[in-house]
């Protein structure tokens, strides 16, 4: 899988090491284990999916761009099965990951138990509000896409921090959006089209 990611253009050494360190098969149902290292999204229950390895690596690489040291505190919205959160924990000092569906939050807890990721904190709640207690964040990453990037995320991003999220842009299609926060304001960059599950408010 790591060689395939490299061939697809992923080159950051820490990101490749993290993708190699976290076993993706631990995060999918037994019936799908033989597809765990394919470059495909897979169902994880409750209508949600584990993102493609290539998308996980691409987004984390964007967060790590130009850095050789670990990221500081990171907020993830949409824990799902916990796979991306586990990868993030390898390249960050602290990770807070929020999930709005209790069933998946619990599944993720089970999946990461035994991996001894002391810096990974799984939280049950509505990630559209962010998680103010952990702010400011060096990086924010969302695994679900809405119409716009919630203002709470931008507020909770540190100056010098970066946010990567799918969002519907002008043309009515989801694109990967990067927001860099500087002392003078925020800079938004729209990248390639993507397909993520919807960002929803409230918990269930
Ligand atoms: N990174 C995950 C991908 C899960 S799919 C993984 O590696 O498996 C995206 C997840 O975002 C879904 O589980 C969905 O329930 C969750 N989600 C959607 N809106 C949310 C919100 N407002 N707060 C927290 N989680 C949300």
């Amino acid at each position: 899988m790591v060689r395939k990611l490299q061939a697809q253009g992923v080159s950051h050494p820490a990101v490749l090491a993290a993708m190699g360190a976290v076993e993706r098969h631990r995060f999918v149902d037994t019936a799908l284990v033989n597809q765990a290292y394919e470059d495909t999204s897979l169902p994880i229950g409750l209508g949600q999916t584990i993102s493609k390895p290539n998308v996980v690596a691409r987004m984390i690489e964007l967060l790590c761009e130009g850095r050789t040291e670990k990221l500081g505190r990171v907020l993830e919205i949409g824990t799902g099965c916990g796979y991306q959160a586990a990868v993030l924990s390898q390249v960050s000092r602290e990770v807070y990951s929020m999930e709005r569906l209790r069933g998946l939050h619990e599944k993720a807890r089970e999946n990461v138990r035994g991996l001894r990721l002391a810096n990974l904190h799984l939280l049950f709640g509505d990630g559209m509000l962010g998680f103010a207690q952990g702010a400011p964040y060096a990086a924010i990453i969302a695994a679900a896409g809405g119409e716009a990037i919630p203002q709470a995320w931008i507020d909770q991003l540190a100056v010098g921090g970066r946010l990567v999220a799918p969002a519907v842009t002008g043309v009515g299609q989801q694109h990967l959006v990067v927001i860099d926060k500087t002392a003078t304001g925020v800079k938004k960059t729209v990248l390639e089209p993507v397909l993520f599950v919807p960002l929803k408010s409230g918990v269930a």
Side-chain angles (χ1 to χ4, degrees):
M1 185 181 84
V2 170
R3 270 198 301 275
K4 213 184 291 174
L5 291 171
Q6 272 177 304
Q8 288 165 331
V10 180
S11 65
H12 195 293
V15 177
L16 290 167
M19 295 298 294
V22 180
E23 298 176 316
R24 195 168 181 258
H25 73 264
R26 286 174 173 270
F27 295 84
V28 299
D29 289 341
T30 332
L32 298 171
V33 159
N34 60 348
Q35 292 176 62
Y37 297 98
E38 304 287 320
D39 196 25
T40 176
S41 55
L42 296 167
I44 54 173
L46 301 175
Q48 308 303 319
T49 53
I50 177 174
S51 310
K52 284 164 95 156
N54 161 269
V55 170
V56 171
R58 164 89 172 127
M59 290 177 84
I60 298 179
E61 187 165 66
L62 283 166
L63 295 181
C64 295
E65 201 176 320
R67 296 173 193 256
T68 48
E69 76 285 12
K70 282 194 174 189
L71 296 168
R73 278 200 305 278
V74 176
L75 174 67
E76 179 190 39
I77 294 94
T79 314
C81 64
Y83 173 69
Q84 179 167 276
V87 177
L88 279 169
S89 78
Q90 309 289 309
V91 299
S92 321
R93 280 203 288 277
E94 284 315 313
V95 177
Y96 296 88
S97 178
M98 303 195 74
E99 174 56 54
R100 64 177 290 275
L101 298 176
R102 190 175 282 282
L104 283 178
H105 167 72
E106 278 163 9
K107 197 178 214 176
R109 268 195 189 291
E110 245 166 67
N111 290 342
V112 302
R113 190 174 296 145
L115 295 184
R116 297 178 187 282
L117 304 174
N119 65 339
L120 173 58
H121 313 284
L122 299 183
L123 308 161
F124 172 62
D126 181 0
M128 278 182 82
L129 310 171
F131 180 63
Q133 292 93 318
Y137 298 101
I140 299 182
I141 181 167
E147 289 296 316
I149 309 276
Q151 185 60 39
W153 300 356
I154 297 170
D155 293 344
Q156 291 174 21
L157 193 62
V159 170
R162 175 173 269 194
L163 181 158
V164 179
V168 176
T169 52
V171 286
Q173 208 207 333
Q174 250 185 23
H175 282 79
L176 213 51
V177 172
V178 172
I179 290 184
D180 287 304
K181 190 166 177 177
T182 66
T184 51
V186 294
K187 183 173 145 248
K188 179 173 163 180
T189 313
V190 178
L191 301 174
E192 68 268 21
V194 283
L195 203 56
F196 278 82
V197 296
L199 181 72
K200 294 187 177 170
S201 61
V203 294

